[in-house]
Amino acid sequence: MRIAFLGTPEFALPSLDMLRESGHTLAVFTQPDRPVGRHATLTPPPTKAYALEHGIPVYQFEKIRLPEGVEALKAFVPELMVTAAFGQLLSAENLAIPKYGCINVHGSLLPKYRGAAPIQWAIIDGETETGITTMMTSIGMDTGDILLVDKLAIDPDETAGELFERMALLGAETLKKTIAALETRTLVRIPQDETQATKCPMLKKEHGKLDLTQTVAAVHNRVRGTNPWPGAFALLDGEPLKIHKTRKTEQPTGDEPFGILKGNARHGLFVRCADGWLEILELQAIGGRKLGAKDYLAGKTLEGKVLI
RNA sequence: CGCGGGGUAGAGCAGUUGGUAGCUCGUCGGGCUCAUAACCCGGAGGUCGUUGGUUCAAGUCCAUCCCCCGCAA
């Protein structure tokens, strides 16, 4: 089949790889190269790098809805379009181009967690289950008819980065089954239950700000849901302290103020939350590299200081 | 040349106006103890990121290069 693949980050790679392995005729449409890193090096999106490596034609548009993008899509004459974390909204004109329409690979159990960062928000909210939903792309934000769903259990200590990898692989599988069903004309379209719909926003830096007046579980979920990006942090002496990894503990509590730290290089570092102590396993001070809490404490003490 | 922090024992840090390199953890040995991740005593382990310069003397001052990191994007 001739498939126009619209995707951008790592999440889209397994799906793209699956399509290529399956022998489809592909063209990749993705975002323009972006400045990345400390020196703002112009970097191609992962899907572009993959496409170049495998001799797949690549097209990059700031907005594929504009005439230029529409023309490029039409010129490829796709029978099907597939989107996976593309990062741009499509127009009705875009969607009308392929005869089989457009299938989207989404990282949540729709209609829950529509939007840009469903995997992270599922963890932040403490969900124990998520999954991949393939759907017919429509004009709204992840509102199209559901095609297939594969569920996935979230490990209690899993980080967003770890879950991302598993979800990306599962996405490729679910997409493969979806296309197989399309080819045998056995796809069933199930409209979403709008009353159950929830939306999640794109993650920003400030979503990593910890609130130590929340429960141990809530803080822990925030830490792992924002790892590796944007990363959780709290303020120590007015400076941000990144918290990369934490672990829930059963330590007894007294009347300590929320956010106060205790611990040493031998036992580890603990912070008081609303209902107990959360162990901080990995952290990073402002000019420093990422360190285990015990290594960090070998050089200085945080005993009695308070995270805000 | 966007702003800034940093490279000193295995790890994390300190090192004042240049004058024999310290601390915590780990490690090794010994002791105490019913026992211990606790405590006490002792030991090993560093050409102080590179190269060059100033000086009687450089971890410390100057220059250069390499590497790591935070912010911003």
Side-chain angles (χ1 to χ4, degrees):
Chain A
M1 203 179 314
R2 290 181 69 83
I3 299 178
F5 187 85
L6 287 66
T8 305
E10 282 81 2
F11 179 79
L13 284 182
S15 292
L16 177 56
D17 188 55
M18 181 279 295
L19 292 176
R20 189 186 65 85
E21 294 284 339
S22 302
H24 296 290
T25 303
L26 295 171
V28 167
F29 294 76
T30 189
Q31 306 257 24
D33 294 4
R34 303 288 189 200
V36 165
R38 216 181 317 277
H39 303 292
T41 314
L42 210 55
T43 307
T47 45
K48 177 186 178 184
Y50 178 95
L52 291 178
E53 194 179 323
H54 292 89
I56 300 170
V58 182
Y59 304 90
Q60 293 172 282
F61 297 101
E62 197 65 55
K63 289 188 176 178
I64 201 157
R65 284 167 288 173
L66 299 183
E68 211 188 0
V70 172
E71 287 314 309
L73 263 179
K74 279 183 180 168
F76 178 64
V77 197
E79 296 166 273
L80 176 69
M81 272 173 23
V82 170
T83 56
F86 179 44
Q88 292 183 28
L89 293 174
L90 301 183
S91 66
E93 199 177 4
N94 290 140
L95 295 172
I97 293 170
K99 65 174 173 180
Y100 293 121
C102 181
I103 293 173
N104 182 41
V105 182
H106 187 73
S108 81
L109 302 175
L110 289 171
K112 293 177 77 176
Y113 296 104
R114 293 173 174 173
I119 298 174
Q120 294 93 323
W121 283 107
I123 290 181
I124 292 171
D125 290 348
E127 300 281 350
T128 57
E129 185 181 65
T130 182
I132 294 289
T133 303
T134 53
M135 51 175 284
M136 295 306 299
T137 307
S138 62
I139 294 297
M141 172 74 89
D142 300 319
T143 55
D145 292 348
I146 293 172
L147 300 173
L148 292 179
V149 176
D150 278 317
K151 293 185 178 178
L152 194 63
I154 302 175
D155 184 275
D157 291 312
E158 191 163 19
T159 65
E162 291 161 354
L163 182 57
F164 233 99
E165 285 188 34
R166 297 204 294 141
M167 290 285 276
L169 294 173
L170 182 62
E173 278 183 45
T174 309
L175 176 61
K176 185 171 190 172
K177 288 190 285 186
T178 305
I179 291 177
L182 174 72
E183 288 171 331
T184 56
R185 303 188 182 281
T186 53
L187 262 189
V188 179
R189 298 172 59 142
I190 307 163
Q192 294 192 32
D193 180 354
E194 287 299 323
T195 66
Q196 296 299 309
T198 61
K199 269 190 184 177
C200 56
M202 195 177 331
L203 277 183
K204 293 180 186 168
K205 209 83 174 173
E206 53 265 36
H207 287 125
K209 176 72 176 67
L210 295 179
D211 177 359
L212 284 319
T213 67
Q214 295 183 324
T215 63
V216 167
V219 176
H220 183 244
N221 291 338
R222 176 70 60 163
V223 169
R224 60 200 188 93
T226 54
N227 177 309
W229 198 91
F233 69 95
L235 296 180
L236 177 71
D237 295 333
E239 307 236 285
L241 183 73
K242 287 195 177 184
I243 313 283
H244 293 291
K245 285 255 169 95
T246 54
R247 178 163 62 197
K248 292 185 273 189
T249 77
E250 302 294 330
Q251 291 193 35
T253 56
D255 55 357
E256 305 88 358
F258 297 161
I260 196 167
L261 294 161
K262 69 168 183 180
N264 55 46
R266 188 169 283 121
H267 297 105
L269 180 62
F270 304 86
V271 63
R272 180 70 152 88
C273 302
D275 60 345
W277 294 92
L278 182 68
E279 180 170 10
I280 296 173
L281 296 174
E282 222 172 70
L283 52 73
Q284 186 169 17
I286 204 159
R289 64 182 67 222
K290 180 163 55 172
L291 287 177
K294 293 178 183 180
D295 284 338
Y296 183 82
L297 291 178
K300 64 194 66 174
T301 179
L302 295 180
E303 185 85 42
K305 297 217 178 206
V306 177
L307 289 180
I308 299 172

